[in-house]
Amino acid sequence: MKIERANLYHLRMPLRSAFETSFGRIQERDGILVEVFCQGVVGYGECAADRNPGYSYETALTAWHVLRDYLFPSVLGTEIAEPGDVQELMSWVRGHRMAKAALEMALWDVWGKQRDQALVELLGGVRRKVRVGVSVGIQESIPSLLRVVEDYLQQGYKRIKIKIKPGRDVAETQALRNAYPGLSLQVDANSAYTLETASILAPLDDLNLLLIEQPLADDDLWDHSKLQRCFKTPLCLDESILEARHARQALEMKAAGVINIKVGRVGGLSEAMAIHDLCLSKEIPVWCGGMLETGIGRAANLALASLPGFTLPGDISATERYYVRDITRERFALNPDSTIDVPRAEGLGVTIDPQALNLFTVNTLQV
Ligand code: OSB
Ligand code: MG
């Protein structure tokens, strides 16, 4: 497999509804679509970096720069055997994992198309459909949160995650728990607390939550291990886990009982699988996180979440939850059992809608 040339598309896609987290509120989602050409086969990968560096230091523009000036120049024209082998060529670039993940994803798409196999088969997935939930942003008030959640439950989602931040945490979670005593419920703080301020979250421990996601700083495993000792509810790490080594160290120091795996955050599907394999061997449950992906990234997430260790529902919702119009022709729908089907067509199993791509592209570049 050899990349001969590539195109970058900087996307800006209107979300159906604003999405608010502890690091900000967005109405549009930026991203980069990577299109690679390899001996007559075209592959696609999605870069999850957003417009603002709120979740991670990477942005669509840093990823654009790093893909254009460093990553593609390091891989163009070089023969590689398998998609994961591209990591070695990119390893001299420190960090910038979302940029690397997009490039690797495009090669998985090519590899599948060359061998006439779906990504789920290439990865060793074991499920035809995966259990999913919905990630609900911070709402204006508790009544509006209850209304939004009720609507998702009506649509068939059987697991709800709510975003929390200081001042918008315990009362919101308690109100939901009171309204739905049996609901599979979890919260995500996106690093909004410190070891000291996290003490106000103590009442959450009595609400039978599936997990509490990333309460403390992204670069802090140690304080998570201290906080975990105060909670019987498992902590789940998202931002803190950038590679398998971090996962190993987090588990060794008991900083979490669950790990959220995101393809972009960890630098690609190959590293995502390595984290999955590690957690499976240690009987630590994992689930597939989301970054409000387009159909391209969502297809990859579904294939990843079909691996055996993904025993908790993923943040992979139906296309409808995110976008009125997506850049893939295929739209993902929620099944009545709160699952989404894993694509079975070759490669990522999705195709680009050129008109939609054109509509949402704010910049293009040939590399
Ligand atoms: O922390 O999981 C997160 C979206 C953007 C950035 C970070 C996160 C999220 C989500 C949305 O929670 C999950 C989804 O794609 O549905
Ligand atoms: Mg998260």
Side-chain angles (χ1 to χ4, degrees), residues 19 23 55 135 161 163 188 190 213 238 262 290-293 315 322:
F19 187 68
F23 58 83
Y55 170 80
S135 173
K161 156 171 143 181
K163 294 289 189 178
D188 186 0
N190 288 110
E213 184 176 348
D238 174 353
K262 286 181 183 168
M291 293 288 291
L292 312 175
E293 287 89 348
D315 271 353
Y322 307 98

mmCIF file of all heavy atoms in Angstrom, residues 19 23 55 135 161 163 188 190 213 238 262 290-293 315 322, ligand 1:
data_model
loop_
_atom_site.group_PDB
_atom_site.id
_atom_site.type_symbol
_atom_site.label_atom_id
_atom_site.label_comp_id
_atom_site.label_asym_id
_atom_site.label_seq_id
_atom_site.Cartn_x
_atom_site.Cartn_y
_atom_site.Cartn_z
ATOM 1 N N PHE A 19 -24.242 22.160 21.219
ATOM 2 C CA PHE A 19 -23.686 21.151 22.128
ATOM 3 C C PHE A 19 -22.794 21.874 23.120
ATOM 4 O O PHE A 19 -21.814 22.505 22.741
ATOM 5 C CB PHE A 19 -22.898 20.125 21.321
ATOM 6 C CG PHE A 19 -22.418 18.955 22.136
ATOM 7 C CD1 PHE A 19 -23.323 18.035 22.661
ATOM 8 C CD2 PHE A 19 -21.067 18.765 22.386
ATOM 9 C CE1 PHE A 19 -22.887 16.956 23.416
ATOM 10 C CE2 PHE A 19 -20.625 17.688 23.132
ATOM 11 C CZ PHE A 19 -21.543 16.780 23.646
ATOM 12 N N PHE A 23 -16.177 22.849 28.579
ATOM 13 C CA PHE A 23 -15.176 23.680 27.894
ATOM 14 C C PHE A 23 -15.773 24.573 26.814
ATOM 15 O O PHE A 23 -15.045 25.266 26.104
ATOM 16 C CB PHE A 23 -14.018 22.833 27.348
ATOM 17 C CG PHE A 23 -14.408 21.742 26.396
ATOM 18 C CD1 PHE A 23 -14.609 22.005 25.050
ATOM 19 C CD2 PHE A 23 -14.547 20.431 26.848
ATOM 20 C CE1 PHE A 23 -14.948 20.996 24.172
ATOM 21 C CE2 PHE A 23 -14.889 19.411 25.963
ATOM 22 C CZ PHE A 23 -15.091 19.686 24.636
ATOM 23 N N TYR A 55 -11.178 20.764 24.016
ATOM 24 C CA TYR A 55 -11.085 19.370 24.451
ATOM 25 C C TYR A 55 -9.637 18.906 24.436
ATOM 26 O O TYR A 55 -9.199 18.149 25.289
ATOM 27 C CB TYR A 55 -11.937 18.495 23.521
ATOM 28 C CG TYR A 55 -11.741 17.019 23.729
ATOM 29 C CD1 TYR A 55 -12.372 16.355 24.772
ATOM 30 C CD2 TYR A 55 -10.911 16.286 22.880
ATOM 31 C CE1 TYR A 55 -12.180 15.004 24.975
ATOM 32 C CE2 TYR A 55 -10.714 14.938 23.074
ATOM 33 C CZ TYR A 55 -11.346 14.296 24.117
ATOM 34 O OH TYR A 55 -11.143 12.954 24.315
ATOM 35 N N SER A 135 -24.973 11.299 24.225
ATOM 36 C CA SER A 135 -24.275 12.245 25.095
ATOM 37 C C SER A 135 -25.032 13.566 25.038
ATOM 38 O O SER A 135 -25.095 14.202 23.983
ATOM 39 C CB SER A 135 -22.838 12.416 24.600
ATOM 40 O OG SER A 135 -22.185 13.443 25.309
ATOM 41 N N LYS A 161 -25.821 9.836 28.793
ATOM 42 C CA LYS A 161 -24.701 10.501 29.466
ATOM 43 C C LYS A 161 -25.007 11.985 29.486
ATOM 44 O O LYS A 161 -25.459 12.536 28.473
ATOM 45 C CB LYS A 161 -23.415 10.204 28.692
ATOM 46 C CG LYS A 161 -22.280 11.209 28.861
ATOM 47 C CD LYS A 161 -21.012 10.691 28.216
ATOM 48 C CE LYS A 161 -20.211 11.798 27.559
ATOM 49 N NZ LYS A 161 -18.979 11.279 26.911
ATOM 50 N N LYS A 163 -23.464 15.881 30.348
ATOM 51 C CA LYS A 163 -22.282 16.692 30.607
ATOM 52 C C LYS A 163 -22.516 17.470 31.892
ATOM 53 O O LYS A 163 -23.627 17.992 32.104
ATOM 54 C CB LYS A 163 -22.056 17.662 29.437
ATOM 55 C CG LYS A 163 -21.699 16.970 28.135
ATOM 56 C CD LYS A 163 -20.308 16.392 28.205
ATOM 57 C CE LYS A 163 -19.834 15.887 26.855
ATOM 58 N NZ LYS A 163 -18.455 15.361 26.938
ATOM 59 N N ASP A 188 -20.206 13.187 32.497
ATOM 60 C CA ASP A 188 -18.889 13.513 31.930
ATOM 61 C C ASP A 188 -18.547 14.960 32.275
ATOM 62 O O ASP A 188 -19.259 15.884 31.872
ATOM 63 C CB ASP A 188 -18.920 13.325 30.407
ATOM 64 C CG ASP A 188 -17.551 13.514 29.755
ATOM 65 O OD1 ASP A 188 -16.567 13.785 30.473
ATOM 66 O OD2 ASP A 188 -17.476 13.383 28.509
ATOM 67 N N ASN A 190 -15.432 16.431 31.644
ATOM 68 C CA ASN A 190 -14.389 17.003 30.785
ATOM 69 C C ASN A 190 -13.385 17.838 31.586
ATOM 70 O O ASN A 190 -13.090 18.988 31.240
ATOM 71 C CB ASN A 190 -15.001 17.831 29.650
ATOM 72 C CG ASN A 190 -15.669 16.973 28.595
ATOM 73 O OD1 ASN A 190 -16.891 16.967 28.473
ATOM 74 N ND2 ASN A 190 -14.884 16.226 27.848
ATOM 75 N N GLU A 213 -17.090 10.256 34.253
ATOM 76 C CA GLU A 213 -16.046 10.390 33.234
ATOM 77 C C GLU A 213 -15.207 11.650 33.458
ATOM 78 O O GLU A 213 -15.739 12.750 33.607
ATOM 79 C CB GLU A 213 -16.727 10.433 31.859
ATOM 80 C CG GLU A 213 -15.779 10.469 30.674
ATOM 81 C CD GLU A 213 -16.526 10.401 29.340
ATOM 82 O OE1 GLU A 213 -17.742 10.096 29.334
ATOM 83 O OE2 GLU A 213 -15.888 10.666 28.304
ATOM 84 N N ASP A 238 -11.117 9.624 29.902
ATOM 85 C CA ASP A 238 -11.219 9.975 28.484
ATOM 86 C C ASP A 238 -9.937 10.750 28.135
ATOM 87 O O ASP A 238 -8.927 10.152 27.702
ATOM 88 C CB ASP A 238 -12.504 10.788 28.266
ATOM 89 C CG ASP A 238 -12.675 11.352 26.857
ATOM 90 O OD1 ASP A 238 -11.753 11.236 26.047
ATOM 91 O OD2 ASP A 238 -13.742 11.939 26.554
ATOM 92 N N LYS A 262 -11.230 6.573 22.246
ATOM 93 C CA LYS A 262 -11.560 7.376 21.066
ATOM 94 C C LYS A 262 -10.426 7.259 20.066
ATOM 95 O O LYS A 262 -9.262 7.485 20.425
ATOM 96 C CB LYS A 262 -11.718 8.855 21.444
ATOM 97 C CG LYS A 262 -12.981 9.198 22.195
ATOM 98 C CD LYS A 262 -13.031 10.691 22.486
ATOM 99 C CE LYS A 262 -14.263 11.039 23.306
ATOM 100 N NZ LYS A 262 -14.178 12.422 23.832
ATOM 101 N N GLY A 290 -17.144 9.319 21.517
ATOM 102 C CA GLY A 290 -17.462 9.991 20.259
ATOM 103 C C GLY A 290 -16.964 11.420 20.270
ATOM 104 O O GLY A 290 -16.699 11.995 21.335
ATOM 105 N N MET A 291 -16.831 11.988 19.095
ATOM 106 C CA MET A 291 -16.394 13.378 18.927
ATOM 107 C C MET A 291 -17.317 14.071 17.933
ATOM 108 O O MET A 291 -16.862 14.888 17.138
ATOM 109 C CB MET A 291 -14.953 13.416 18.428
ATOM 110 C CG MET A 291 -13.917 12.897 19.428
ATOM 111 S SD MET A 291 -13.658 14.009 20.817
ATOM 112 C CE MET A 291 -12.857 15.366 19.984
ATOM 113 N N LEU A 292 -18.611 13.732 17.970
ATOM 114 C CA LEU A 292 -19.581 14.325 17.043
ATOM 115 C C LEU A 292 -19.124 14.121 15.597
ATOM 116 O O LEU A 292 -19.198 15.031 14.767
ATOM 117 C CB LEU A 292 -19.762 15.828 17.324
ATOM 118 C CG LEU A 292 -19.986 16.258 18.775
ATOM 119 C CD1 LEU A 292 -20.010 17.790 18.881
ATOM 120 C CD2 LEU A 292 -21.286 15.698 19.350
ATOM 121 N N GLU A 293 -18.654 12.905 15.315
ATOM 122 C CA GLU A 293 -18.092 12.626 13.994
ATOM 123 C C GLU A 293 -19.135 12.695 12.880
ATOM 124 O O GLU A 293 -20.333 12.547 13.114
ATOM 125 C CB GLU A 293 -17.492 11.200 13.978
ATOM 126 C CG GLU A 293 -16.195 11.040 14.738
ATOM 127 C CD GLU A 293 -16.389 10.677 16.214
ATOM 128 O OE1 GLU A 293 -17.526 10.764 16.719
ATOM 129 O OE2 GLU A 293 -15.386 10.310 16.841
ATOM 130 N N ASP A 315 -20.687 6.183 22.880
ATOM 131 C CA ASP A 315 -21.232 7.505 22.506
ATOM 132 C C ASP A 315 -21.300 7.567 20.982
ATOM 133 O O ASP A 315 -20.623 8.369 20.335
ATOM 134 C CB ASP A 315 -20.306 8.626 22.997
ATOM 135 C CG ASP A 315 -20.640 9.106 24.404
ATOM 136 O OD1 ASP A 315 -21.662 8.683 24.955
ATOM 137 O OD2 ASP A 315 -19.861 9.917 24.939
ATOM 138 N N TYR A 322 -27.026 14.282 15.298
ATOM 139 C CA TYR A 322 -25.977 15.285 15.095
ATOM 140 C C TYR A 322 -26.283 16.248 13.945
ATOM 141 O O TYR A 322 -26.147 17.455 14.095
ATOM 142 C CB TYR A 322 -24.643 14.606 14.791
ATOM 143 C CG TYR A 322 -24.213 13.555 15.785
ATOM 144 C CD1 TYR A 322 -24.438 12.202 15.555
ATOM 145 C CD2 TYR A 322 -23.570 13.939 16.958
ATOM 146 C CE1 TYR A 322 -24.029 11.242 16.469
ATOM 147 C CE2 TYR A 322 -23.161 12.987 17.880
ATOM 148 C CZ TYR A 322 -23.392 11.638 17.627
ATOM 149 O OH TYR A 322 -23.000 10.689 18.533
HETATM 150 O O1 OSB B 1 -15.864 14.231 26.169
HETATM 151 O O2 OSB B 1 -16.871 12.645 25.263
HETATM 152 C C1 OSB B 1 -16.506 13.813 25.221
HETATM 153 C C2 OSB B 1 -17.909 15.524 22.108
HETATM 154 C C3 OSB B 1 -16.854 16.339 21.770
HETATM 155 C C4 OSB B 1 -15.736 16.353 22.565
HETATM 156 C C5 OSB B 1 -15.665 15.550 23.703
HETATM 157 C C6 OSB B 1 -16.718 14.707 24.035
HETATM 158 C C7 OSB B 1 -17.864 14.715 23.231
HETATM 159 C C8 OSB B 1 -19.060 13.936 23.515
HETATM 160 C C9 OSB B 1 -19.990 13.638 22.361
HETATM 161 O O3 OSB B 1 -19.390 13.587 24.621
HETATM 162 C C10 OSB B 1 -20.082 12.194 22.052
HETATM 163 C C11 OSB B 1 -20.733 11.959 20.713
HETATM 164 O O4 OSB B 1 -20.039 12.002 19.670
HETATM 165 O O5 OSB B 1 -21.928 11.705 20.688
#
